[in-house]
Amino acid sequence: ADRGHGHHCIVSSHKKLKSTIPWLGLFVWWFLVGSARAFAVTPPNHNTQLSRHFTTRRSMVAENMDGKAIAAAIRGELKEQVEKMESAIPPGLAVILVGSRRDSQTYVNMKKKACKECGIASFGYDFEDSAAEADIVDCIRQCNANPEIHGILVQLPLPPHMDES
C-alpha cells in the first residue's frame, strides 16, 4: 500500500541543537511548512518578524493564504539570518533519499534548491530501494558526526522493508 508522499523526518543530535544552531527550530519549521502549505498559526518559539505573516486564531475560521508569498518571505528572512551568523561553518542540511520515487526526488530537489537560495550547505545521500536499513542508520550516524551538518532530513516513505519509526 502507498504510504503517502511529501513526508519527511528531521533528525538532529541534541548536542548540536543546543550549542551551534539556535535557529534550527525556525529552520525545521520552515522546511515543514514554508515550501508546502501555509497554516494560520504562529510558529513555536519564533524570534523573527515572521509574526506579521501569521495570525493565531481561537475560532475555527478558514483563511486563504498565499503560501508561495509566505514561503518567499520566510526564505528571505532565513537568508538574512544565515548571512548574519558569525560561524565559519555555514548551516548544513543532509538529505537522505532511499528509492526512486519521482515525487520524493522532486521534493528533495526543491529542498536542495531552497538551501542554495538561503545560503545553507546541502549534502545529498541517495540509496537504492534495496538498500539495507543498517546502511541508512550508518549514514545518519556519519551525518551526526559531521560538524558541517546541523540537520538531517530523511525523505519518507521508506521502502516497505524498512521501519520508518
Side-chain angles (χ1 to χ4, degrees):
D2 185 1
R3 293 183 281 180
H5 67 281
H7 305 284
H8 50 271
C9 172
I10 301 286
V11 180
S12 178
S13 76
H14 182 68
K15 180 180 173 186
K16 286 183 183 180
L17 181 62
K18 279 190 121 177
S19 64
T20 61
I21 48 173
W23 52 268
L24 184 62
L26 173 65
F27 178 63
V28 169
W29 181 86
W30 168 74
F31 262 88
L32 293 173
V33 178
S35 66
R37 293 186 177 94
F39 300 94
V41 296
T42 303
N45 301 323
H46 72 288
N47 59 1
T48 67
Q49 297 177 354
L50 291 177
S51 58
R52 71 175 180 268
H53 302 295
F54 302 93
T55 59
T56 301
R57 302 274 188 203
R58 292 191 177 188
S59 63
M60 298 296 288
V61 177
E63 179 178 345
N64 285 332
M65 301 177 77
D66 185 349
K68 288 185 180 185
I70 293 170
I74 291 170
R75 285 187 183 133
E77 290 182 22
L78 184 59
K79 182 177 181 178
E80 288 175 18
Q81 287 183 3
V82 169
E83 289 171 351
K84 291 178 185 176
M85 293 180 75
E86 296 177 12
S87 173
I89 299 173
L93 176 70
V95 180
I96 299 173
L97 176 62
V98 183
S100 57
R101 288 179 55 130
R102 283 195 188 260
D103 56 344
S104 291
Q105 290 171 341
T106 300
Y107 187 80
V108 165
N109 287 336
M110 289 175 15
K111 293 304 165 199
K112 289 178 181 178
K113 180 181 174 190
C115 281
K116 187 175 181 178
E117 290 174 10
C118 296
I120 297 170
S122 176
F123 302 87
Y125 301 90
D126 296 340
F127 293 88
E128 298 291 325
D129 285 321
S130 59
E133 186 172 335
D135 292 337
I136 307 306
V137 171
D138 185 53
C139 181
I140 292 170
R141 286 188 179 123
Q142 289 176 16
C143 289
N144 267 328
N146 184 339
E148 295 180 338
I149 296 175
H150 302 94
I152 302 168
L153 184 146
V154 177
Q155 179 65 35
L156 301 180
L158 294 173
H161 69 280
M162 293 187 184
D163 180 11
E164 289 185 355
S165 61

